[in-house]
Amino acid sequence: VRVRFVSGESFGTRSMATYVETGDVKIFIDPGAALAPRRYGLPPHPKELEKLESDWKRIAEYASACDVVVVTHYHRDHFSAVRHVDRVYRGKTVLLKSVESSINPSQRARGKALLSRIGDLASRVEFADGRRFTFGDTILEFSRPLPHGVDDRLGYVLEVHITDGRRSFVFTSDVEGPSLDEHLRFIIEREPDIVYVDGPATYLAGAKYPEDAVEAAVENLLRIVEEVESLKVLVVDHHLTRDINWEARIARVIEACRDRKVWIGTAAEYMGERPMFLEANRRALYAESCDAAPGGKGGNG
Ligand SMILES: [Zn+2]
Ligand SMILES: [Zn+2]
């Protein structure tokens, strides 16, 4: 199993776009990217808009080379609804979150729109909830629908497991942590070498995201590091890295990884690139480039 991270907060957009290749099959998980419409009261900075365009190009390139496309849920940063639809889905086996059950109204509407869009484009379309698919020696397995965070207010997501019998990769999607035992169980039971987690949404802590949930997520991340003996790499990105102080938030997890010699870092770092947290630095970006500020009034630092 070879994993390449294509976009994400550490690359400068909101995304978990991931390419996975085995000897049997090429899989793209969550071919989408987006920007926070508002952060610190500011709209996306021109640098973010530019990065979004180039990341979408990369997503389309990688996805077009794939056999299988996975959509874990219907939030706009996780699938292509408009951009590069043809390149992403044409001729592909598309395995996606069911729109029939365990789904909230907004995601159901987007999911149904996607299904009608790709009906004639994809070669095969299947709801993947709780299912397992094999491609040669490769097993692609999905969790049953799990809450998007501590409750199902934002709907449900599917976690993804891919193994070729030698290495094993778990992609948690938007579990926000993992914050619940059921999120954690799917990860631990798969005995993965590599885990990609979205992390707790600490940037919303206090207001929209309970502090208890942050605490639960840190405890669960610690359990992954301590209980999964096969674990070699823990990639954290997406929700967690919207927080400029993300490292301090999970200091105990970073320390546990150091003790156990597990590599921990962001998706960009795993790819050997310097992380570029554009959203978390949006205020600073506007302060640096006063000309680019909305309304031409200058940055508000
Ligand atoms: Zn989501
Ligand atoms: Zn997301």
Side-chain angles (χ1 to χ4, degrees), residues 29 33 104 197 221-222 241 258 261 267 274 281 286 297:
I29 309 174
N104 66 357
V197 294
L221 289 168
L222 280 170
T241 53
R258 202 171 296 143
K261 297 192 170 33
R274 202 164 53 85
N281 285 296
Y286 276 108
K297 285 199 193 109

Side-chain angles (χ1 to χ4, degrees), residues 9 14-16 30 73 75 77-78 148 173-174 198 238-239 242:
E9 273 73 350
R14 286 187 168 186
S15 173
M16 286 185 86
D30 285 1
H73 66 299
H75 279 159
D77 48 343
H78 288 262
H148 189 298
S173 186
D174 283 3
D198 64 327
H238 202 49
H239 286 116
R242 291 173 198 174

Side-chain angles (χ1 to χ4, degrees), residues 105-156:
S106 62
Q107 291 204 52
R108 173 177 285 133
R110 281 183 219 139
K112 285 192 166 172
L114 178 66
L115 285 173
S116 62
R117 187 89 201 261
I118 65 174
D120 297 333
L121 222 55
S123 70
R124 176 184 172 201
V125 179
E126 303 259 3
F127 294 147
D129 306 32
R131 295 178 65 191
R132 208 181 145 100
F133 301 83
T134 52
F135 304 90
D137 293 328
T138 300
I139 297 168
L140 168 54
E141 184 188 9
F142 294 86
S143 71
R144 62 185 173 80
L146 299 172
H148 189 298
V150 285
D151 56 40
D152 64 0
R153 201 172 32 91
L154 291 175
Y156 292 81

Side-chain angles (χ1 to χ4, degrees), residues 3 10 23-24 34 39 41 49 66-67 80 100 123 137 139 168 172 209 222 228 231 240 252 267 275:
V3 181
S10 62
D24 307 296
R39 187 72 199 273
L49 295 167
C66 283
D67 315 295
S80 160
E100 308 293 348
S123 70
D137 293 328
I139 297 168
S168 157
T172 67
Y209 193 78
L222 280 170
V228 181
L231 187 73
L240 181 65
R252 290 165 64 208

